[in-house]
Amino acid sequence: MLLLLKEHTKEYIRENSENLSIGTTLIDPQDIGIDISGYKIGIRKSTDGTIDAMITGNASNDLQAGKIAS
């Protein structure tokens, strides 16, 4: 499941890198075309154009986050 989110997030970033605002954007998997609940995707664009993304679980007992794209 995380691999699916990773690949779709990379594709989303490739397609939208120019339109992403500087700062952090928080999206749901549904926003990138995946019908999975329980996760959030954070995409951060720096002023130098660097884009990083992280995925994290919504559940309070799942506090681990994994870097998935940059």
Side-chain angles (χ1 to χ4, degrees):
M1 184 172 357
L2 290 177
L3 184 57
L4 180 65
L5 287 170
K6 176 183 176 180
E7 294 305 316
H8 279 284
T9 301
K10 283 183 179 181
E11 184 177 326
Y12 177 85
I13 290 171
R14 270 194 298 272
E15 293 174 358
N16 297 287
S17 62
E18 295 298 320
N19 299 324
L20 290 171
S21 301
I22 302 296
T24 302
T25 303
L26 192 61
I27 61 174
D28 293 311
Q30 294 83 3
D31 297 331
I32 60 171
I34 303 176
D35 190 21
I36 297 173
S37 61
Y39 293 93
K40 290 283 186 186
I41 301 165
I43 300 173
R44 184 184 65 200
K45 185 173 185 179
S46 301
T47 56
D48 67 1
T50 304
I51 300 174
D52 295 306
M54 294 193 77
I55 183 172
T56 186
N58 287 339
S60 60
N61 61 352
D62 184 9
L63 298 177
Q64 293 182 338
K67 185 172 182 179
I68 59 169
S70 57

